[in-house]
Amino acid sequence: VQLQASGGGSVQAGDSLGLSCEVSGRFISKYCMGWFRQAPGEEREFVAGITWSGGSPYVTDYADSVKDRFTITRDHAKRTVYLQMNSLKPDDTAVYYCAARDSTSYTYVYRTANDYAYWGQGTQVTVSS
């Protein structure tokens, strides 16, 4: 399984930015996708996650710091997960990673980096004040 993240960049505080993560390789029928971020000198932290069963229903989960500003969605046909980031703050500056893992449940989002087996290469998001 390969993950290809894209969409990072440099923006001003209050701006919006969208990230994409395309999944390729071995098809996984049920899995959980997550976005994590890591700022310099900091631990990698959970941002958002979404379960993926190929159809509905599914659930999403967010870190408190991004709730109501970020939205995670997925397009099963395109095997792509998106992260729409609105009202960006300088504290959102980090390298953002997408991750995936097999999952037997569409109701549980994994929030710990060690729970994920597959990772994208990371994309830089820089928010200036």
Side-chain angles (χ1 to χ4, degrees), residues 7-19 35-40 42-48 62-71 83-97 123-129:
S10 296
V11 297
Q12 297 290 319
D15 286 351
S16 298
L17 199 60
L19 305 181
W35 284 100
F36 289 76
R37 67 187 182 188
Q38 188 167 20
E42 301 290 332
E43 297 285 322
R44 189 170 297 189
E45 65 173 359
F46 173 79
V47 175
Y62 298 91
D64 288 344
S65 60
V66 306
K67 200 169 293 184
D68 298 326
R69 297 189 299 122
F70 291 11
T71 303
L83 184 68
Q84 179 62 38
M85 305 182 292
N86 298 329
S87 301
L88 282 161
K89 304 175 181 179
D91 285 348
D92 295 318
T93 296
V95 176
Y96 283 70
Y97 299 89
T123 184
Q124 177 70 45
V125 172
T126 302
V127 184
S128 302
S129 58

Side-chain angles (χ1 to χ4, degrees), residues 60-127:
T60 58
D61 195 13
Y62 298 91
D64 288 344
S65 60
V66 306
K67 200 169 293 184
D68 298 326
R69 297 189 299 122
F70 291 11
T71 303
I72 186 171
T73 57
R74 89 279 196 262
D75 185 323
H76 182 71
K78 295 183 179 179
R79 303 181 71 188
T80 301
V81 64
Y82 305 95
L83 184 68
Q84 179 62 38
M85 305 182 292
N86 298 329
S87 301
L88 282 161
K89 304 175 181 179
D91 285 348
D92 295 318
T93 296
V95 176
Y96 283 70
Y97 299 89
C98 60
R101 62 156 289 154
D102 296 285
S103 177
T104 59
S105 171
Y106 65 80
T107 62
Y108 182 77
V109 173
Y110 293 85
R111 297 171 62 99
T112 303
N114 287 341
D115 287 329
Y116 288 81
Y118 310 105
W119 289 85
Q121 81 284 10
T123 184
Q124 177 70 45
V125 172
T126 302
V127 184

